[in-house]
Amino acid sequence: MSSLDQYLRLLRYITPYRFRLGMAIVCSGLVAAFSAAYAWLVRPVLDGIFISKDQTLLLVLPLALIAVAVLKSAFNYGQTYLITYVGNHVIADIRQELFRHLMKLPVSYHDANTSGRLVSRVTNDVMMMSNAVSGVLKDLFQHGLTFLAMLGVIFYQNWRLALVSMIIMPISAYTLTRVGKRMRRLATSGQERMGDMSSTIQETLAGIRMVKAYGREDAEAAKFQVNNRAFLKTMLKSNQVFSMGSSYMEVIGVVGVAAIVWYGGMLVIHGDMTPGAFFSFLAAMFMAYNPIRRLSGANNTVQQALAAAERVYEVLDLKTERDHDHGTATFGGVTRMIEFQGVSLSYNGQERTALAGIDVSIRAGEIVALVGSSGSGKTTLVSLLPRFYEPTAGQILIDGVLLSSYTLLSLRSRIGMVSQETVLFDDTIANNISFGREGASAEEIEQAARLAYAHDFILRLPDGYQTVIGERGVKLSGGERQRLAIARAILRDPPLLILDEATSALDTESERIVQLALGNLMKNRTTVVIAHRLSTIQNADRIIVLDRGRIAEVGTHDELLRRNGVYRRLHALQFQSATSV
């Protein structure tokens, strides 16, 4: 996409605010006109008052200058406010669209991109774009129109002298182009370095307890310093290029002024131009220099903003899950069976197969456990049910209908998930429980909490259900966090339930309470349980044993123990570990 296309795309976001932008342009035109009036008034002031000694002009011109100043200030306020209003609203709209789009991208995209880099896109890149929208629009209209108005005064006073002043224009344009290209490359590099810094900060702060426990503060600081220095180096280079460009422009401007003073002085000496006209011309030239300088700075800002816009558009142009969702059927729950038929999966960019030739059926209302060593494919298999990933081979059917035939919205709305890594938000307990069911009443939330054995500990908190639990529920214990996740699933009331090692990180007492809560949750539901502790799934209807992405065994707990297979070996290892403690 060319720079022009990118900027035009950026300007499309202005359409809802075109009336205010139109008013801003009108105000900018009037500011330019009154700025030109300052330069034009130099001629009557000098020729009429100081040379001709006109008494009337001595009374009128000071009042005219005051009137011009008042009107220019009023319209300057109007155009500044209106353009800032438009710019800030446009950037808020872009940021909202980008965040919404990120939420709709597939899980595989989020797997491949760190949260720090994505945060940088939403914050830093969009902030760079804001400079282009609000700042550059202001410069483009106000200073662009002011320059044109000054150009009118210049040609009006003496067109031959104006042509001499135009000699520097091609040189200035060439300098701006060269500097702009380098600024854009450096801006792209700078935004990437900023993303690296954001990623490092996010990861370190998220794992601050582990960092402190292992005494890794200095090591993490050194890691951050590498990214910080890389960003600093890019910014220093960017400032160097900007400063050199500004210096070149100033030298070019002074050379132009020197030529004008020489040629204009010759015209005044030979009587071809009055002193007032020359100084009016000179005043317009000097007053035109500031718009040129600001437009030069605006060009650098535009290049940096376009580099950021390219990264933002790169995300916005990615197809979302819903773009790939061609399902039309509405999923209401499992009435007969879930069937995996020859299902295989390989993650993007990886040669190793995560799942290979999975053939298994899960009956409606059945509790099926998945067990196996780490990396055997348990979590990958259950991630296929809400279509976080699509199989690379084979197919999944629910009640004889292809899983891909159901709409994502209806499918996920009828699936509940409780995982080992409980996801809670820095919000109230009530809002965390009702996260999966908007509009739930206080009574329904409390009933879900009671079934999850969470009601009693919630009441002991300072503000009960309105207690804010901190980021990721940091103010609660592991068992308490897990019970809130179970309460959330109970309130959602899903017909299909996925439990991903929901008790593996808990102590014995917390696990006992959570198991009671899970018992309430699993009633009358089709449930798939991933279990690390084999003792927790002995009563499952069936146990599926996975080994290196393949099904090794299927049976009940007693049946599998009687076989000399993978399950018996895993059970023996856990039993030995338990008895040796």
Side-chain angles (χ1 to χ4, degrees), residues 114-121 123-124 191-205 224 227:
T114 64
S115 57
R117 286 180 178 271
L118 299 181
V119 167
S120 180
R121 297 279 176 104
T123 55
N124 300 318
Q191 291 304 99
E192 289 172 354
R193 300 291 81 75
M194 177 63 76
D196 292 339
M197 280 202 303
S198 298
S199 182
T200 302
I201 292 170
Q202 182 126 353
E203 288 177 356
T204 303
L205 294 182
F224 177 77
N227 295 328

mmCIF file of all heavy atoms in Angstrom, residues 114-121 123-124 191-205 224 227:
data_model
loop_
_atom_site.group_PDB
_atom_site.id
_atom_site.type_symbol
_atom_site.label_atom_id
_atom_site.label_comp_id
_atom_site.label_asym_id
_atom_site.label_seq_id
_atom_site.Cartn_x
_atom_site.Cartn_y
_atom_site.Cartn_z
ATOM 1 N N THR A 114 3.251 -11.929 20.972
ATOM 2 C CA THR A 114 3.207 -11.678 22.407
ATOM 3 C C THR A 114 2.221 -10.563 22.722
ATOM 4 O O THR A 114 1.988 -9.663 21.904
ATOM 5 C CB THR A 114 4.596 -11.266 22.927
ATOM 6 O OG1 THR A 114 4.978 -10.024 22.324
ATOM 7 C CG2 THR A 114 5.636 -12.322 22.609
ATOM 8 N N SER A 115 1.660 -10.623 23.922
ATOM 9 C CA SER A 115 0.690 -9.598 24.325
ATOM 10 C C SER A 115 1.339 -8.220 24.372
ATOM 11 O O SER A 115 0.692 -7.210 24.085
ATOM 12 C CB SER A 115 0.090 -9.957 25.683
ATOM 13 O OG SER A 115 1.115 -10.114 26.656
ATOM 14 N N GLY A 116 2.637 -8.165 24.723
ATOM 15 C CA GLY A 116 3.329 -6.871 24.772
ATOM 16 C C GLY A 116 3.368 -6.194 23.416
ATOM 17 O O GLY A 116 3.152 -4.981 23.297
ATOM 18 N N ARG A 117 3.630 -6.976 22.371
ATOM 19 C CA ARG A 117 3.660 -6.414 21.019
ATOM 20 C C ARG A 117 2.274 -5.919 20.611
ATOM 21 O O ARG A 117 2.142 -4.869 19.971
ATOM 22 C CB ARG A 117 4.139 -7.465 20.023
ATOM 23 C CG ARG A 117 5.643 -7.748 20.095
ATOM 24 C CD ARG A 117 6.038 -8.809 19.079
ATOM 25 N NE ARG A 117 7.476 -9.049 19.124
ATOM 26 C CZ ARG A 117 8.357 -8.371 18.399
ATOM 27 N NH1 ARG A 117 7.955 -7.410 17.603
ATOM 28 N NH2 ARG A 117 9.640 -8.654 18.476
ATOM 29 N N LEU A 118 1.249 -6.661 20.969
ATOM 30 C CA LEU A 118 -0.108 -6.260 20.614
ATOM 31 C C LEU A 118 -0.534 -5.018 21.393
ATOM 32 O O LEU A 118 -1.217 -4.145 20.854
ATOM 33 C CB LEU A 118 -1.079 -7.414 20.865
ATOM 34 C CG LEU A 118 -0.801 -8.688 20.049
ATOM 35 C CD1 LEU A 118 -1.845 -9.751 20.353
ATOM 36 C CD2 LEU A 118 -0.777 -8.385 18.560
ATOM 37 N N VAL A 119 -0.132 -4.943 22.659
ATOM 38 C CA VAL A 119 -0.411 -3.738 23.454
ATOM 39 C C VAL A 119 0.258 -2.527 22.810
ATOM 40 O O VAL A 119 -0.315 -1.430 22.748
ATOM 41 C CB VAL A 119 0.080 -3.920 24.908
ATOM 42 C CG1 VAL A 119 0.084 -2.582 25.648
ATOM 43 C CG2 VAL A 119 -0.800 -4.912 25.648
ATOM 44 N N SER A 120 1.475 -2.722 22.305
ATOM 45 C CA SER A 120 2.199 -1.631 21.641
ATOM 46 C C SER A 120 1.444 -1.151 20.401
ATOM 47 O O SER A 120 1.411 0.045 20.105
ATOM 48 C CB SER A 120 3.607 -2.095 21.246
ATOM 49 O OG SER A 120 4.324 -1.057 20.608
ATOM 50 N N ARG A 121 0.814 -2.086 19.684
ATOM 51 C CA ARG A 121 0.033 -1.686 18.505
ATOM 52 C C ARG A 121 -1.137 -0.785 18.912
ATOM 53 O O ARG A 121 -1.405 0.226 18.274
ATOM 54 C CB ARG A 121 -0.521 -2.930 17.795
ATOM 55 C CG ARG A 121 0.536 -3.878 17.237
ATOM 56 C CD ARG A 121 1.087 -3.438 15.910
ATOM 57 N NE ARG A 121 2.151 -4.312 15.459
ATOM 58 C CZ ARG A 121 2.026 -5.225 14.516
ATOM 59 N NH1 ARG A 121 0.862 -5.404 13.932
ATOM 60 N NH2 ARG A 121 3.048 -5.961 14.147
ATOM 61 N N THR A 123 -1.564 0.968 21.708
ATOM 62 C CA THR A 123 -1.219 2.207 22.416
ATOM 63 C C THR A 123 -0.222 3.058 21.632
ATOM 64 O O THR A 123 -0.564 4.130 21.136
ATOM 65 C CB THR A 123 -0.651 1.879 23.809
ATOM 66 O OG1 THR A 123 0.458 0.970 23.673
ATOM 67 C CG2 THR A 123 -1.713 1.238 24.680
ATOM 68 N N ASN A 124 1.000 2.566 21.474
ATOM 69 C CA ASN A 124 2.052 3.392 20.886
ATOM 70 C C ASN A 124 1.825 3.688 19.408
ATOM 71 O O ASN A 124 1.969 4.839 18.969
ATOM 72 C CB ASN A 124 3.409 2.705 21.071
ATOM 73 C CG ASN A 124 3.752 2.492 22.522
ATOM 74 O OD1 ASN A 124 3.533 3.368 23.353
ATOM 75 N ND2 ASN A 124 4.271 1.336 22.866
ATOM 76 N N GLN A 191 9.149 1.666 16.306
ATOM 77 C CA GLN A 191 7.924 1.034 16.791
ATOM 78 C C GLN A 191 8.135 -0.443 17.097
ATOM 79 O O GLN A 191 7.572 -0.984 18.047
ATOM 80 C CB GLN A 191 6.807 1.206 15.764
ATOM 81 C CG GLN A 191 6.330 2.649 15.620
ATOM 82 C CD GLN A 191 5.881 3.236 16.943
ATOM 83 O OE1 GLN A 191 6.629 3.967 17.586
ATOM 84 N NE2 GLN A 191 4.686 2.913 17.375
ATOM 85 N N GLU A 192 8.980 -1.106 16.302
ATOM 86 C CA GLU A 192 9.290 -2.512 16.586
ATOM 87 C C GLU A 192 10.063 -2.642 17.898
ATOM 88 O O GLU A 192 9.807 -3.545 18.699
ATOM 89 C CB GLU A 192 10.097 -3.100 15.429
ATOM 90 C CG GLU A 192 9.272 -3.288 14.156
ATOM 91 C CD GLU A 192 10.133 -3.697 12.978
ATOM 92 O OE1 GLU A 192 11.380 -3.711 13.140
ATOM 93 O OE2 GLU A 192 9.572 -4.002 11.909
ATOM 94 N N ARG A 193 11.009 -1.733 18.118
ATOM 95 C CA ARG A 193 11.776 -1.764 19.370
ATOM 96 C C ARG A 193 10.857 -1.455 20.555
ATOM 97 O O ARG A 193 11.022 -2.021 21.629
ATOM 98 C CB ARG A 193 12.910 -0.740 19.322
ATOM 99 C CG ARG A 193 13.931 -0.918 18.207
ATOM 100 C CD ARG A 193 14.781 -2.143 18.390
ATOM 101 N NE ARG A 193 14.130 -3.368 17.960
ATOM 102 C CZ ARG A 193 13.977 -3.712 16.680
ATOM 103 N NH1 ARG A 193 14.420 -2.931 15.713
ATOM 104 N NH2 ARG A 193 13.389 -4.842 16.360
ATOM 105 N N MET A 194 9.893 -0.560 20.353
ATOM 106 C CA MET A 194 8.937 -0.255 21.417
ATOM 107 C C MET A 194 8.096 -1.478 21.748
ATOM 108 O O MET A 194 7.799 -1.762 22.914
ATOM 109 C CB MET A 194 8.034 0.911 20.991
ATOM 110 C CG MET A 194 6.946 1.267 21.995
ATOM 111 S SD MET A 194 7.600 1.832 23.589
ATOM 112 C CE MET A 194 8.108 3.496 23.147
ATOM 113 N N GLY A 195 7.710 -2.248 20.717
ATOM 114 C CA GLY A 195 6.965 -3.478 20.947
ATOM 115 C C GLY A 195 7.768 -4.483 21.754
ATOM 116 O O GLY A 195 7.234 -5.152 22.638
ATOM 117 N N ASP A 196 9.083 -4.585 21.454
ATOM 118 C CA ASP A 196 9.950 -5.481 22.222
ATOM 119 C C ASP A 196 10.004 -5.061 23.691
ATOM 120 O O ASP A 196 9.967 -5.901 24.593
ATOM 121 C CB ASP A 196 11.367 -5.480 21.624
ATOM 122 C CG ASP A 196 11.412 -6.122 20.247
ATOM 123 O OD1 ASP A 196 10.496 -6.901 19.928
ATOM 124 O OD2 ASP A 196 12.353 -5.833 19.484
ATOM 125 N N MET A 197 10.120 -3.748 23.919
ATOM 126 C CA MET A 197 10.162 -3.245 25.303
ATOM 127 C C MET A 197 8.852 -3.548 26.032
ATOM 128 O O MET A 197 8.861 -4.000 27.173
ATOM 129 C CB MET A 197 10.430 -1.740 25.323
ATOM 130 C CG MET A 197 11.876 -1.355 25.132
ATOM 131 S SD MET A 197 12.231 0.294 25.785
ATOM 132 C CE MET A 197 11.080 1.287 24.885
ATOM 133 N N SER A 198 7.737 -3.300 25.356
ATOM 134 C CA SER A 198 6.427 -3.551 25.977
ATOM 135 C C SER A 198 6.274 -5.021 26.336
ATOM 136 O O SER A 198 5.752 -5.360 27.396
ATOM 137 C CB SER A 198 5.306 -3.120 25.027
ATOM 138 O OG SER A 198 5.367 -1.745 24.750
ATOM 139 N N SER A 199 6.737 -5.895 25.440
ATOM 140 C CA SER A 199 6.645 -7.332 25.694
ATOM 141 C C SER A 199 7.467 -7.732 26.909
ATOM 142 O O SER A 199 7.008 -8.488 27.773
ATOM 143 C CB SER A 199 7.115 -8.106 24.461
ATOM 144 O OG SER A 199 6.994 -9.491 24.667
ATOM 145 N N THR A 200 8.694 -7.200 27.002
ATOM 146 C CA THR A 200 9.567 -7.514 28.136
ATOM 147 C C THR A 200 8.963 -7.019 29.446
ATOM 148 O O THR A 200 8.967 -7.732 30.460
ATOM 149 C CB THR A 200 10.957 -6.887 27.933
ATOM 150 O OG1 THR A 200 11.521 -7.387 26.709
ATOM 151 C CG2 THR A 200 11.892 -7.227 29.084
ATOM 152 N N ILE A 201 8.440 -5.806 29.428
ATOM 153 C CA ILE A 201 7.828 -5.235 30.634
ATOM 154 C C ILE A 201 6.646 -6.092 31.077
ATOM 155 O O ILE A 201 6.513 -6.444 32.256
ATOM 156 C CB ILE A 201 7.369 -3.790 30.377
ATOM 157 C CG1 ILE A 201 8.585 -2.868 30.169
ATOM 158 C CG2 ILE A 201 6.517 -3.269 31.535
ATOM 159 C CD1 ILE A 201 8.219 -1.491 29.683
ATOM 160 N N GLN A 202 5.775 -6.444 30.112
ATOM 161 C CA GLN A 202 4.577 -7.212 30.449
ATOM 162 C C GLN A 202 4.930 -8.580 31.031
ATOM 163 O O GLN A 202 4.364 -9.004 32.043
ATOM 164 C CB GLN A 202 3.725 -7.387 29.185
ATOM 165 C CG GLN A 202 2.440 -8.137 29.427
ATOM 166 C CD GLN A 202 1.231 -7.363 28.934
ATOM 167 O OE1 GLN A 202 1.341 -6.223 28.540
ATOM 168 N NE2 GLN A 202 0.086 -7.986 28.967
ATOM 169 N N GLU A 203 5.864 -9.274 30.389
ATOM 170 C CA GLU A 203 6.231 -10.603 30.861
ATOM 171 C C GLU A 203 6.879 -10.548 32.245
ATOM 172 O O GLU A 203 6.584 -11.371 33.114
ATOM 173 C CB GLU A 203 7.209 -11.245 29.867
ATOM 174 C CG GLU A 203 6.558 -11.668 28.561
ATOM 175 C CD GLU A 203 7.578 -12.229 27.588
ATOM 176 O OE1 GLU A 203 8.782 -12.208 27.924
ATOM 177 O OE2 GLU A 203 7.178 -12.687 26.507
ATOM 178 N N THR A 204 7.756 -9.569 32.460
ATOM 179 C CA THR A 204 8.462 -9.474 33.736
ATOM 180 C C THR A 204 7.512 -9.124 34.877
ATOM 181 O O THR A 204 7.557 -9.736 35.945
ATOM 182 C CB THR A 204 9.583 -8.427 33.654
ATOM 183 O OG1 THR A 204 10.473 -8.775 32.583
ATOM 184 C CG2 THR A 204 10.370 -8.362 34.945
ATOM 185 N N LEU A 205 6.631 -8.142 34.641
ATOM 186 C CA LEU A 205 5.702 -7.741 35.695
ATOM 187 C C LEU A 205 4.666 -8.830 35.974
ATOM 188 O O LEU A 205 4.243 -9.013 37.116
ATOM 189 C CB LEU A 205 5.009 -6.433 35.305
ATOM 190 C CG LEU A 205 5.923 -5.202 35.218
ATOM 191 C CD1 LEU A 205 5.123 -3.959 34.884
ATOM 192 C CD2 LEU A 205 6.694 -4.996 36.526
ATOM 193 N N PHE A 224 16.004 -6.047 29.769
ATOM 194 C CA PHE A 224 15.259 -4.865 29.350
ATOM 195 C C PHE A 224 16.201 -3.799 28.787
ATOM 196 O O PHE A 224 15.852 -3.079 27.850
ATOM 197 C CB PHE A 224 14.475 -4.290 30.540
ATOM 198 C CG PHE A 224 13.728 -3.026 30.210
ATOM 199 C CD1 PHE A 224 12.546 -3.075 29.489
ATOM 200 C CD2 PHE A 224 14.210 -1.787 30.609
ATOM 201 C CE1 PHE A 224 11.858 -1.904 29.180
ATOM 202 C CE2 PHE A 224 13.538 -0.624 30.303
ATOM 203 C CZ PHE A 224 12.355 -0.686 29.588
ATOM 204 N N ASN A 227 16.785 -4.057 25.023
ATOM 205 C CA ASN A 227 15.695 -3.488 24.225
ATOM 206 C C ASN A 227 15.633 -1.975 24.357
ATOM 207 O O ASN A 227 15.373 -1.258 23.383
ATOM 208 C CB ASN A 227 14.352 -4.094 24.665
ATOM 209 C CG ASN A 227 14.269 -5.573 24.380
ATOM 210 O OD1 ASN A 227 14.842 -6.056 23.401
ATOM 211 N ND2 ASN A 227 13.574 -6.315 25.227
#
